[in-house]
Amino acid sequence: MLGDGINIGIRVQEKTNQMKNPQLACASPLVSVIIPAYNAEAFIEKTLNSVLSQTYKNIEVIVINDGSEDRTVEIVTEILKQDPRVILLQQVNSGVAAARNLGIEKAKGEFIAPIDADDLWYAENLEKQVQCLLNSDSSVGLTYAWSIDIDENDFPSGEFRSSTIEENVYTILLLHYFLANASSTVIRRSVLEKVGYYNENLRIQKAQGCEDWELYLRIAERYKFRVVPEFLIGYRKIANSMSSDGEVMAKSLLEVWKSVFRKYPKTPKTIYRLSMSSFYMYLARQNSIQKKHKKTLVWLYRALKVDCLTPFLRLGLYAMFIKSCYFISLQKISKNNHLDRFFLKAFKQRKVINIQLSKSISLPKIGMKSWLERILHQIVLLIFSTPNHWKESEKSNFYIKLLEK
């Protein structure tokens, strides 16, 4: 069970299967859950179980098999025999965007709720997000909830996303992907009909990875966002996932930025620098967690190259740099394999202790992170405002050409 035995600061209590919200019981529009699946046999059953166990029952669950070569279809077929809400669609391998788009095209729901085939939802996720949308007017295009990173055994890694950014979020979303993943949102179907579906061209350009970010930017141009401030999503981080392929992810974000500059040639170049630097720091952290120390240093260098100021304000820069240099040096200078193993074993023991401590995500830590993000949001709006107010940038064309290279 997601987060089993872990105190994550805000306790998300799972209710019984009977919905206790009178308004929701009277007005429960159909929600179409979209699950793209490619070679997902390891986690698809857990994902489906978390979806089918939602307290919000008026759902259809559309699984799109994207040319899997493992037991994904067999597992989903067994589950749909037991629950008629599950629908299985199949296509030749065409990528995650094409799979999601096929599911949306076939969906009948008023709301669309995407989830990746290895992520998990707490039982009340849909109920609370649908209620948030029902309580909002049509200017609100989507809602999102907080997420925690989980490992292959469903246990939290200590990383989490607890943003409280709402309303007009386009500029801050350019700078920082605060939604964190594609499994944390519920979107109005009418919104997707107006702004379009997921961008399938990124796969053609060999730049998969930021399809959800790109879609949310298009939604943020025209609609407001709302947040459900509770941990309701388990975002799985494993070594062979798409999010671990740094080069492809970086290329994907560059392609997104090309489209931004074409649409808004007045975009301040500072926003581009801060966005890319923040993303490179994220990739450095992911490589550091996976003990890829040389790649960690590469991403730190790229972060500093595109923005020579703000990375120095992050304590993580120094910690990752020292850690990576230490292990790279240890591998080079140690001629004694026993000494190597001694240091590595000692580090692993310290890491286990740190992980155990980090699994208890305290309220002060959540509150501080949310407060800092709110302050950042206000500062960004104060400095950069919105695309309609951006001043002409003399170097916009230069940046477009630079990204084309």
Side-chain angles (χ1 to χ4, degrees):
M1 181 177 180
L2 177 59
D4 202 14
I6 308 249
N7 174 23
I8 60 173
I10 292 182
R11 181 184 176 97
V12 183
Q13 296 181 345
E14 297 185 1
K15 298 179 182 177
T16 62
N17 290 337
Q18 296 180 348
M19 290 188 298
K20 300 179 179 180
N21 190 311
Q23 181 178 351
L24 200 60
C26 295
S28 54
L30 179 65
V31 176
S32 298
V33 180
I34 308 298
I35 309 178
Y38 174 69
N39 290 346
E41 65 177 3
F43 302 109
I44 186 63
E45 184 175 1
K46 287 184 176 181
T47 298
L48 279 171
N49 286 339
S50 77
V51 172
L52 296 173
S53 299
Q54 293 293 297
T55 55
Y56 190 93
K57 297 302 180 184
N58 191 19
I59 63 175
E60 61 174 2
V61 185
I62 303 176
V63 181
I64 307 92
N65 176 46
D66 188 30
S68 297
E69 299 174 345
D70 61 0
R71 296 180 57 252
T72 297
V73 172
E74 179 183 341
I75 294 171
V76 176
T77 301
E78 287 300 316
I79 294 175
L80 68 82
K81 289 178 181 178
Q82 303 171 22
D83 197 318
R85 294 177 298 174
V86 179
I87 302 168
L88 176 62
L89 303 178
Q90 304 213 43
Q91 66 175 26
V92 296
N93 183 245
S94 304
V96 63
R100 288 173 180 159
N101 289 345
L102 176 60
I104 295 171
E105 289 171 2
K106 301 297 183 181
K108 300 177 182 177
E110 180 180 340
F111 299 138
I112 302 295
I115 178 174
D116 287 341
D118 56 354
D119 293 341
L120 301 177
W121 282 346
Y122 276 107
E124 293 181 307
N125 177 52
L126 286 182
E127 180 181 340
K128 294 194 173 185
Q129 293 210 55
V130 169
Q131 184 62 58
C132 185
L133 280 170
L134 292 177
N135 290 338
S136 305
D137 59 36
S138 59
S139 67
V140 176
L142 67 75
T143 59
Y144 70 97
W146 293 354
S147 60
I148 54 175
D149 291 356
I150 58 175
D151 61 18
E152 62 274 10
N153 297 313
D154 304 344
F155 286 101
S157 66
E159 299 293 316
F160 65 96
R161 306 294 182 275
S162 59
S163 174
T164 54
I165 298 172
E166 293 185 302
E167 300 293 332
N168 299 309
V169 304
Y170 181 78
T171 304
I172 191 67
L173 188 57
L174 274 176
L175 283 168
H176 170 48
Y177 185 37
F178 59 85
L179 286 84
N181 57 77
S183 302
S184 61
T185 61
V186 176
I187 312 167
R188 295 187 193 274
R189 173 65 178 266
S190 59
V191 168
L192 293 174
E193 297 296 340
K194 290 182 180 179
V195 306
Y197 296 173
Y198 291 92
N199 185 353
E200 298 181 26
N201 290 328
L202 289 176
R203 184 176 189 267
I204 298 173
Q205 297 164 330
K206 300 185 185 301
Q208 291 191 98
C210 291
E211 289 87 350
D212 46 329
W213 194 348
E214 192 271 344
L215 173 62
Y216 297 148
L217 281 169
R218 282 187 276 125
I219 294 175
E221 286 181 279
R222 302 175 62 175
Y223 296 93
K224 297 177 182 178
F225 287 20
R226 286 280 190 272
V227 62
V228 176
E230 295 185 41
F231 290 107
L232 300 174
I233 294 93
Y235 178 51
R236 198 178 303 278
K237 286 285 189 70
I238 51 179
N240 62 346
S241 65
M242 182 187 298
S243 59
S244 68
D245 194 336
E247 292 292 345
V248 176
M249 292 283 290
K251 183 178 180 181
S252 185
L253 182 56
L254 285 172
E255 292 298 328
V256 172
W257 265 104
K258 287 180 187 179
S259 65
V260 171
F261 275 121
R262 292 192 184 98
K263 187 178 296 184
Y264 299 111
K266 300 179 182 180
T267 304
K269 58 183 180 292
T270 304
I271 297 181
Y272 162 73
R273 290 176 175 172
L274 292 174
S275 175
M276 296 305 299
S277 175
S278 176
F279 190 68
Y280 290 155
M281 287 292 293
Y282 163 79
L283 293 176
R285 179 169 179 79
Q286 297 308 306
N287 279 275
S288 179
I289 292 173
Q290 297 174 23
K291 303 177 185 179
K292 299 176 181 178
H293 303 299
K294 290 183 179 180
K295 286 188 176 181
T296 299
L297 294 180
V298 169
W299 291 116
L300 290 177
Y301 169 75
R302 291 195 186 184
L304 290 169
K305 185 177 180 181
V306 73
D307 173 20
C308 62
L309 177 60
T310 57
F312 286 110
L313 303 178
R314 301 174 181 233
L315 294 178
L317 171 73
Y318 307 99
M320 287 186 286
F321 178 77
I322 293 172
K323 174 185 173 182
S324 297
C325 289
Y326 169 75
F327 279 101
I328 291 173
S329 299
L330 189 65
Q331 292 171 0
K332 288 184 177 180
I333 66 175
S334 176
K335 296 180 181 180
N336 189 324
N337 290 333
H338 295 290
L339 181 63
D340 242 356
R341 286 196 292 269
F342 170 78
F343 279 110
L344 289 172
K345 182 178 179 181
F347 175 77
K348 287 179 180 178
Q349 289 176 343
R350 290 196 299 272
K351 182 178 179 183
V352 169
I353 295 174
N354 290 334
I355 289 177
Q356 294 298 328
L357 291 174
S358 68
K359 285 181 178 178
S360 180
I361 304 175
S362 65
L363 281 171
K365 185 176 180 181
I366 296 168
M368 177 61 71
K369 186 172 182 179
S370 299
W371 178 79
L372 288 174
E373 285 197 338
R374 285 199 301 271
I375 295 298
L376 174 63
H377 188 200
Q378 295 303 317
I379 292 174
V380 167
L381 288 178
L382 181 64
I383 296 176
F384 299 113
S385 188
T386 62
N388 294 331
H389 297 87
W390 288 340
K391 295 181 179 179
E392 183 67 49
S393 172
E394 297 178 357
K395 296 185 178 181
S396 292
N397 290 332
F398 167 76
Y399 272 87
I400 293 175
K401 293 178 180 178
L402 181 64
L403 291 173
E404 293 285 358
K405 293 181 179 180

